[in-house]
Amino acid sequence: MHPKPVRPVLVVIAHGSRDPQHAATVHALVRRVRSLRPGLRVETGFLDFNVPSVQGVLESLADEGVRDAVALPLLLTRAFHAKADIPAVLREAPPRLRIRQAEVLGPSPLLLDALERRLYEAGLSPADKSSTGVVLASAGSTDPEAIAVIADIAREWRHTGWCAVRPAFASASLPRTEDAVRELRAAGCARVAVAPYVLAPGFLPDRIARGAAEADVLADVLGSAPEVADVVLERYDEARLPLLTALGA
C-alpha cells in the first residue's frame, strides 16, 4: 500500500487592517474552515498591518519541514493584490517550500447566497425581494477586470428577483454607495438595502457604511458566513489537486 499523501497546508492570505475587527473576522472564518475540514492544517498570514505576516508564516512552515502549501488569497476579485502583491510575496518564500496560489474567492454562486444571508439577517425576507433595490457595494479597484466582474455579479443577482441591483464602489471607481442608493430610490424601489461585498471590517467597509446612511437596510460584511468557508475549501481543493498530481500522489 502506498502511504496516504500529506495534504498541503492551507495558508489563508488576508489583506490586514488597523481595525481590530478585521483580524478577528478573518480568524473566525478560518476557525469555521477548520471545523469543516478536520485534519487540514490552516494558517493565516496578513499582507499588512497585522501579524503574522505571510512571509513569516511561510518561513515557519519551511523551518518545520513542511514541503507543500496552497496559498489562498482571501480576496473577492482578481485585482492588484492577487495579480501582483501576493505573487511577489510568494516568490520570496523559502525555495524548499512548494507553493501553489489558489484562485480568489469570487465570483461564486455561494457568495451570492452569503450576500442574501446577510440581508436576511439584517431584517429582510425573501418576500421583500421584488420591492427592494440592492446596492452591491464593493471596495473598488483600478483594475478593469475586477470592475467588470462586480457589474456581472450585479446583473446576475438582479435576475434572482430583486427590484434592482446596482454596483457601487468605496474607492477608485464610481458610483459611490450613496449615489447608488439615491438612484434606486429614484427608480421607484420601495426599499433600498446595501449589501457590502467585502469580507471583513476596515477602512473601506466603514466608508460603505457611511454611504448607506439613507438606505433602509445595511447588511453586515460577509465575514465567517458558512458559504464563504465553503468557497475557501473549494478553491483549496481546486489548487491542491494539480499539486498532488505533480507530486505523483
Side-chain angles (χ1 to χ4, degrees):
M1 291 180 60
H2 294 289
K4 187 177 180 181
V6 176
R7 294 177 182 174
V9 173
L10 170 56
V11 179
V12 172
I13 301 179
H15 185 278
S17 171
R18 292 187 177 90
D19 186 334
Q21 294 180 82
H22 178 93
T25 301
V26 170
H27 291 312
L29 173 59
V30 168
R31 285 195 296 274
R32 188 180 287 276
V33 170
R34 289 187 181 119
S35 73
L36 292 173
R37 189 72 62 87
L40 172 62
R41 181 173 178 181
V42 187
E43 300 291 343
T44 308
F46 295 90
L47 290 173
D48 208 352
F49 301 115
N50 302 103
V51 292
S53 68
V54 178
Q55 189 68 24
V57 169
L58 297 177
E59 289 175 356
S60 294
L61 290 174
D63 289 344
E64 286 181 35
V66 172
R67 290 292 172 260
D68 301 295
V70 169
L72 189 145
L74 206 59
L75 302 168
L76 294 172
T77 56
R78 192 171 178 274
F80 182 79
H81 289 306
K83 293 178 178 179
D85 281 356
I86 291 175
V89 171
L90 298 182
R91 283 195 295 270
E92 297 300 316
R96 59 190 178 279
L97 186 62
R98 289 178 293 238
I99 305 172
R100 188 173 186 89
Q101 182 175 332
E103 289 295 332
V104 298
L105 301 184
S108 167
L110 286 170
L111 295 178
L112 286 181
D113 292 343
L115 286 165
E116 295 206 355
R117 171 189 292 275
R118 293 303 189 221
L119 285 170
Y120 298 152
E121 289 171 351
L124 294 179
S125 74
D128 297 322
K129 291 182 78 166
S130 62
S131 59
T132 302
V134 179
V135 178
L136 179 68
S138 77
S141 173
T142 57
D143 189 308
E145 178 187 348
I147 298 303
V149 166
I150 298 299
D152 287 345
I153 293 169
R155 282 192 292 270
E156 179 183 346
W157 202 15
R158 164 68 182 83
H159 293 150
T160 66
W162 296 99
C163 173
V165 180
R166 299 284 174 86
F169 307 94
S171 69
S173 310
L174 294 174
R176 294 286 183 256
T177 303
E178 53 268 35
D179 298 325
V181 169
R182 293 176 190 130
E183 287 174 12
L184 290 171
R185 290 259 189 246
C189 295
R191 188 185 297 101
V192 177
V194 173
Y197 190 58
V198 293
L199 284 166
F203 176 74
L204 293 177
D206 285 348
R207 184 179 286 177
I208 290 171
R210 290 193 297 272
E214 296 178 19
D216 301 293
V217 173
L218 171 62
D220 200 358
V221 298
L222 296 175
S224 59
E227 298 85 356
V228 178
D230 287 339
V231 178
V232 168
L233 288 171
E234 276 190 4
R235 298 292 180 256
Y236 169 77
D237 288 338
E238 291 164 0
R240 82 182 180 102
L241 290 176
L243 181 58
L244 290 176
T245 301
L247 297 174

